[in-house]
Amino acid sequence: MKTSKLKTFPRSCLRGTAILLLTLFIFAALLWLYQDLESGETELNLDRSQSFVLTNVNVLTMNGQQVLLDHAIVVRDGVITELNPMTQVTADDLSVIDGKQAYVMPGLIDAHVHVLDRSYAKSALAAGVTTVRNMGGFPYHLKWRDELEKGEWFGSHMVVSSPIFNSMEQGDPLAHFRVNEPERARQAVRDYIAEGYDFIKVYEGLHAQTYSAILAEANTLGVMVAGHPSYDLMHKNLDEHGALRTFEHSEEIYDGFLAQTFDNAKAEAAAQFFVDHDVALVPTLAVNRELTRLSNEKYEYLQQTDQAAITPFARFIYEQTSFKRWLNASPELAAYNLEVDAYLHHLTQLMHERGVTLVLGSDAGALTGLPGPATIDEIELMVAAGIPTHAALTAATVNAAHSVDMDQQLGRISVGFQADLVVLKDNPLSKVETLRDPMMVIQQGRAFDRADLNQLRDEAHQHSNWLLSVARHLNFLLFG
């Protein structure tokens, strides 16, 4: 009788497999160390005084619409210590910056951006955006935020959301934290806040019970929640969304409250919800205008954008997804996008007229727009929609500061506030386009003149390489 023998792999195969696995492990470890140990850099001088007197300036404090003519601002250790007429200021111990009758306003705050590379934070600061709220955080954002706080390189101060909470069914497995179980969601809220994220970001696909659990746990911890509504919860208990600090996108009013109809009666009801619950709206008109133009003007519009400022890794992803979607849009879809875009401007104006608090957010980084330039686009679009210029600037300063829990130190020019300032040639209340060419930007008392701003713009086109970008994201997927 024949007997069978157990087939085994030759020792050489086992040895080869072991070597391959060890090689992959070493490569992964080196990749992790690479992304963990690399740091930001800049050609700018890092040693900058945070104390000076800015003289001969006209000051838009954002405490009202009045412009204080011929004033001086005294800054010590990055904080405004005096704001007085020129004749009353005495600070002989400080260096003097002559403002030459320029106009000064608080540094801009963009409350909805996606910082995909350190270059994006540099782009923002070069445009006068001294603070951004990053809406979709990953571990590397915590690292960049801390580097900026230590002054290792220069860019907009970053307030960082958690990774985006979404449902298992609708969430992006490569970018979202997907969860359907309320208790697991509660634990994730605790974990992300313990890891150092500043607040929680929620998305529309979340189930009602999970969304409610996130809001409740965040409330227990005393941290804010911002983002999209849960469509499931909107049908079951709309009022729970009153716990949101900000409601993102006028488009979500159109999709959620209005069920994609041009129903002004429902829009009025939506406005009343925001007012009753003191929830601010972040319109993000700029990103919708981008997709509208992409779908209608196609490559003619794309060629007008600064594609070299988009990090290559993100550009590759967008070319396979968003760009492809809108560049290949049918004439019917393109026409529909035009109609919706116009209605979103109407919605935003209606919200303002009904007393809804508006917070400026551009959604820069989601398509072709970049933090900084897209921020100014958003301001101009709000003004074009019929919102008074002062109200649009308030959305980008006072209201935006509240959205990041920093309204006692940012968003106004006042004694005791942080010296985050933009110096402009003209009065932005009468000439909003002057925001596109700041003469000087001051962040935490550090002054950046035109040459510095040009250097920041150059560095905004210097991105991390592919390997590093992929390694960062792998770190999130494996350990985040």
Side-chain angles (χ1 to χ4, degrees):
M1 183 175 67
K2 291 183 178 180
T3 59
S4 62
K5 293 183 179 180
L6 181 65
K7 293 183 178 180
T8 60
F9 288 103
R11 288 184 180 180
S12 60
C13 290
L14 291 174
R15 188 163 49 247
T17 301
I19 292 172
L20 176 61
L21 291 174
L22 180 61
T23 301
L24 290 174
F25 175 79
I26 293 173
F27 177 75
L30 290 174
L31 199 60
W32 185 86
L33 282 172
Y34 175 42
Q35 63 85 34
D36 187 59
L37 298 177
E38 63 86 31
S39 59
E41 56 187 27
T42 180
E43 293 296 321
L44 292 172
N45 178 19
L46 292 173
D47 185 17
R48 291 169 184 261
S49 172
Q50 294 177 272
S51 302
F52 57 87
V53 183
L54 179 60
T55 63
N56 297 312
V57 289
N58 306 305
V59 183
L60 177 59
T61 65
M62 297 309 297
N63 289 315
Q65 297 196 42
Q66 182 183 6
V67 175
L68 304 178
L69 301 177
D70 200 24
H71 269 56
I73 303 171
V74 179
V75 176
R76 295 182 186 273
D77 298 322
V79 176
I80 298 169
T81 58
E82 290 183 55
L83 172 61
N84 284 313
M86 280 291 298
T87 55
Q88 299 178 23
V89 172
T90 56
D92 297 336
D93 58 319
L94 298 178
S95 61
V96 174
I97 300 175
D98 186 353
K100 299 178 181 178
Q101 287 301 303
Y103 288 78
V104 183
M105 67 171 292
L108 301 174
I109 303 168
D110 193 324
H112 193 126
V113 302
H114 297 274
V115 180
L116 307 180
D117 195 87
R118 289 187 182 91
S119 56
Y120 284 42
K122 295 178 179 184
S123 171
L125 184 59
V129 180
T130 51
T131 300
V132 295
R133 189 174 68 158
N134 184 71
M135 297 295 286
F138 298 110
Y140 49 83
H141 288 117
L142 301 180
K143 180 180 181 180
W144 298 346
R145 181 194 63 191
D146 294 344
E147 289 173 352
L148 287 165
E149 288 300 314
K150 294 173 185 176
E152 295 179 7
W153 50 283
F154 296 125
S156 284
H157 170 78
M158 290 173 57
V159 179
V160 182
S161 86
S162 68
I164 297 169
F165 282 66
N166 206 353
S167 67
M168 295 296 295
E169 297 86 353
Q170 295 189 31
D172 181 346
L174 298 180
H176 293 178
F177 172 69
R178 300 187 300 157
V179 59
N180 286 353
E181 301 81 21
E183 286 309 311
R184 184 163 179 253
R186 283 179 175 271
Q187 184 61 53
V189 170
R190 294 192 290 271
D191 290 344
Y192 283 136
I193 296 303
E195 289 169 18
Y197 293 98
D198 296 306
F199 66 102
I200 301 299
K201 166 78 180 287
V202 287
Y203 219 68
E204 65 218 26
L206 285 164
H207 298 173
Q209 285 188 322
T210 308
Y211 198 97
S212 296
I214 293 167
L215 293 174
E217 191 62 34
N219 181 64
T220 298
L221 297 177
V223 299
M224 65 182 179
V225 181
H228 298 213
S230 160
Y231 291 164
D232 185 26
L233 185 60
M234 287 188 85
H235 297 304
K236 296 175 179 177
N237 188 357
L238 172 63
D239 286 347
E240 282 200 58
H241 292 90
L244 292 173
R245 175 64 60 85
T246 56
F247 184 105
E248 307 301 308
H249 314 296
S250 292
E251 182 185 10
E252 288 291 358
I253 300 176
Y254 173 72
D255 289 343
F257 283 92
L258 278 62
Q260 297 185 338
T261 63
F262 301 142
D263 190 328
N264 284 335
K266 290 181 179 178
E268 295 281 357
Q272 194 61 51
F273 163 82
F274 290 116
V275 171
D276 290 345
H277 295 279
D278 194 25
V279 174
L281 170 67
V282 184
T284 66
L285 298 174
V287 72
N288 204 79
R289 178 57 57 88
E290 283 183 78
L291 70 86
T292 300
R293 294 192 66 183
L294 274 171
S295 61
N296 280 272
E297 300 171 38
K298 309 293 186 183
Y299 288 97
E300 181 180 348
Y301 171 69
L302 190 61
Q303 290 168 1
Q304 297 173 26
T305 63
D306 188 4
Q307 295 181 62
I310 304 173
T311 183
F313 180 61
R315 189 164 69 244
F316 171 78
I317 298 297
Y318 292 163
E319 285 171 351
Q320 312 309 312
T321 55
S322 304
F323 289 179
K324 182 179 290 185
R325 177 186 180 186
W326 300 119
L327 290 171
N328 293 326
S330 66
E332 293 76 16
L333 177 56
Y336 174 75
N337 287 343
L338 277 173
E339 192 175 11
V340 171
D341 186 63
Y343 190 71
L344 295 185
H345 283 66
H346 164 71
L347 265 181
T348 302
Q349 182 191 32
L350 186 150
M351 295 296 135
H352 170 72
E353 290 177 346
R354 298 300 180 267
V356 176
T357 298
L358 299 183
V359 169
L360 185 129
S362 63
D363 209 359
L367 278 175
T368 61
L370 294 164
T375 309
I376 311 306
D377 289 342
E378 184 73 17
I379 294 172
E380 291 184 344
L381 287 170
M382 291 174 72
V383 172
I387 295 166
T389 302
H390 187 269
L393 296 180
T394 299
T397 53
V398 177
N399 297 349
H402 180 67
S403 77
V404 295
D405 279 337
M406 300 180 78
D407 49 327
Q408 296 305 306
Q409 61 192 105
L410 295 179
R412 303 176 194 269
I413 299 178
S414 186
V415 172
F417 274 57
Q418 188 168 298
D420 280 17
L421 312 168
V422 184
V423 182
L424 304 162
K425 179 181 178 182
D426 298 300
N427 183 351
L429 291 176
S430 56
K431 194 174 182 181
V432 70
E433 60 269 24
T434 193
L435 292 169
R436 293 211 172 267
D437 186 25
M439 299 170 61
M440 179 179 292
V441 175
I442 299 167
Q443 184 194 51
Q444 294 181 311
R446 299 181 181 91
F448 302 89
D449 61 19
R450 283 190 186 274
D452 295 329
L453 298 179
N454 286 334
Q455 177 62 34
L456 278 170
R457 292 186 188 102
D458 288 343
E459 293 182 10
H461 289 76
Q462 300 167 17
H463 311 297
S464 301
N465 61 51
W466 261 80
L467 182 62
L468 180 54
S469 297
V470 172
R472 287 173 184 152
H473 209 67
L474 280 176
N475 182 37
F476 164 71
L477 295 176
L478 295 173
F479 307 110

